[in-house]
């Protein structure tokens, strides 16, 4: 496959990864704050339905207002679900895993029930916008600057998240909430209040990720329109080591796998289409298992010490120490 054939595949991979970037970075923010939001699957699905329904019903206002209302409504849906998770986990001090899992199932079913009138109904989609001058840069312009505003917004989200996490004092506080909440509390931080805020913010971003599916990547609505992508977002957060840049790169890796699967499907017509549909999901799970195995660690020990340390740090990661743990704020 030559370079000219790779560019369309990579550009499609970037575009199709955009919803996952929003959802995965949203979950990363939530978990770095110390809260596990396992409702991602249901949140993405219900937000996708709500975003499309709002955009469709307000289509008469014009494409821009309807899309803004769609994405805004989806963000509110994601934040509302996250609020339930936060209230149950932080105020009632119940199991975050149980609450999130129940909400994932409930919201998925709600999306099917409430979204029935909008199944396979055409609606507004995010228009393409090629950035002048930048789009003419060889290769780079074709890959990054001939998409739509949502894709460009995902670039800004990645850049802002990395700077916020590692170059600002509030970012340090966020990481401390998930690592050493007692230390943050000792410095005068209201741990519970800030965990609420970051959980809601993460939920809103997951909601935007859901609307990105139904209003851009997979325009429209159908039964379980985004099935599986919420779970993939959760896996990507682990695979990316709770680092927003690595999480975003993992999203793009998944997008590349999807694009390659589509190419393989057209090149090998005798193989059932279901094989290519599920292949990216299976490969991401295999990557996650591989990077968590002791076998890979033993393999790294065969490398020179400096390279072994670099590879181990690049692939292995540990979750925030206080992730999912109840913090008693007296």
């Amino acid at each position: 496959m030559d370079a000219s054939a790779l560019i369309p595949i990579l550009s499609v991979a970037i575009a199709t990864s955009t919803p996952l970037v929003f959802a995965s970075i949203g979950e990363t923010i939530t978990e770095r704050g110390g809260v596990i939001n396992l409702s991602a699957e249901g949140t993405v699905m219900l937000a996708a339905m709500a975003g499309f329904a709002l955009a469709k019903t307000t289509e008469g206002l014009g494409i821009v207002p309807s899309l803004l209302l769609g994405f805004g409504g989806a963000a509110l849906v994601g934040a509302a679900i996250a609020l339930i998770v936060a209230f149950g986990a932080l105020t009632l001090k119940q199991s975050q895993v149980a609450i999130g899992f129940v909400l994932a199932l409930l919201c998925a079913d709600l999306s099917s029930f409430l979204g029935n009138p909008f199944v396979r109904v055409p609606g507004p989609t995010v228009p393409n916008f090629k950035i002048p001058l930048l789009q003419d840069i060889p290769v780079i312009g074709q890959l990054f600057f001939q998409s739509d505003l949502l894709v460009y917004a995902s670039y800004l989200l990645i850049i802002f998240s990395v700077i916020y996490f590692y170059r600002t004092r509030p970012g340090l506080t966020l990481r401390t909430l998930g690592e050493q909440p007692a230390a943050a509390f000792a410095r005068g931080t209201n741990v519970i209040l800030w965990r609420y805020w970051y959980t809601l913010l993460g939920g809103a971003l997951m909601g935007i990720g859901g609307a990105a599916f139904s209003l851009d990547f997979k325009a429209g609505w159908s039964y379980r329109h985004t099935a599986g992508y919420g779970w993939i977002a959760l896996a990507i957060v682990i695979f990316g080591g709770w680092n927003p840049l690595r999480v975003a790169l993992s999203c793009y890796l998944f997008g590349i796998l999807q694009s390659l699967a589509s190419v393989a499907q057209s090149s090998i017509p005798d193989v059932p289409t279901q094989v290519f549909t599920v292949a990216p999901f299976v490969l991401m799970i295999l990557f996650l298992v591989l990077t968590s195995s002791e076998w890979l660690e033993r393999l790294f020990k065969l490398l020179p010490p400096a390279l072994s340390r670099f590879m181990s740090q690049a692939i292995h990661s540990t979750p925030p120490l206080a992730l999912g743990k109840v913090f008693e704020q007296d």
Side-chain angles (χ1 to χ4, degrees), residues 77-114:
V77 168
I81 297 169
L83 179 61
I84 298 174
V85 174
F87 180 74
L90 303 175
T91 300
L92 301 181
K93 297 180 172 56
Q94 300 301 308
S95 169
Q96 298 176 18
V97 173
I99 295 170
F101 188 71
V102 169
L103 284 173
L105 300 177
L106 174 63
C107 292
D109 288 340
L110 272 177
S111 71
S112 298
F113 175 71
L114 298 176

Side-chain angles (χ1 to χ4, degrees), residues 62-80:
I63 186 169
V64 173
S66 67
L67 288 174
L68 288 176
L69 286 170
F71 280 104
L76 288 175
V77 168

Side-chain angles (χ1 to χ4, degrees), residues 14 31 51 117 135 211 242 245 291 299 312:
I14 291 171
E31 294 197 10
Q135 66 164 329
W242 294 268
L245 180 58
T291 55
L299 181 62
S312 182

Side-chain angles (χ1 to χ4, degrees), residues 266-282:
S266 59
S267 303
I268 314 174
D270 295 334
V271 178
T273 58
Q274 292 84 354
V275 173
F276 299 105
T277 302
V278 303
F281 295 88
V282 175

Side-chain angles (χ1 to χ4, degrees), residues 157-311:
L157 176 63
I158 295 167
I159 294 169
F160 177 79
S161 299
V162 173
I163 294 173
Y164 186 85
F165 268 59
Y166 302 109
R167 292 291 184 268
T168 67
R169 185 173 294 276
L172 176 61
T173 300
L174 167 60
R175 289 182 285 132
T176 306
L177 291 174
E179 296 286 350
Q180 298 290 340
F185 181 67
R187 291 199 300 269
T189 301
N190 189 324
V191 174
I192 302 300
L193 179 62
W194 280 106
R195 282 185 167 179
Y196 259 101
W197 162 245
Y198 285 119
T199 303
L200 265 63
L201 176 60
L205 287 173
M206 281 195 280
I208 293 174
F213 278 104
S214 58
L215 295 175
D216 193 8
F217 169 43
K218 297 173 68 176
W221 174 253
S222 58
Y223 176 70
R224 296 192 176 273
H225 195 65
T226 66
Y229 283 95
W231 301 120
I232 285 295
L234 290 169
I236 283 175
V237 173
I238 301 171
F239 185 71
W242 294 268
N243 178 308
L245 180 58
R246 285 178 56 184
V247 165
L249 292 176
S250 300
C251 292
Y252 293 131
L253 172 61
F254 182 76
I256 290 171
L257 292 175
Q258 283 187 306
S259 296
L260 291 175
S262 298
V263 172
Q265 181 176 336
S266 59
S267 303
I268 314 174
D270 295 334
V271 178
T273 58
Q274 292 84 354
V275 173
F276 299 105
T277 302
V278 303
F281 295 88
V282 175
L283 288 173
M284 281 299 297
I285 294 171
L286 289 177
F287 279 139
L288 185 60
V289 172
L290 179 63
T291 55
S292 304
S293 67
E294 295 181 1
W295 176 84
L296 191 62
E297 191 67 34
R298 290 196 294 268
L299 181 62
F300 286 158
K301 291 180 179 179
L302 301 177
L303 301 173
L307 182 58
S308 176
R309 286 194 298 272
F310 173 78
M311 293 296 293

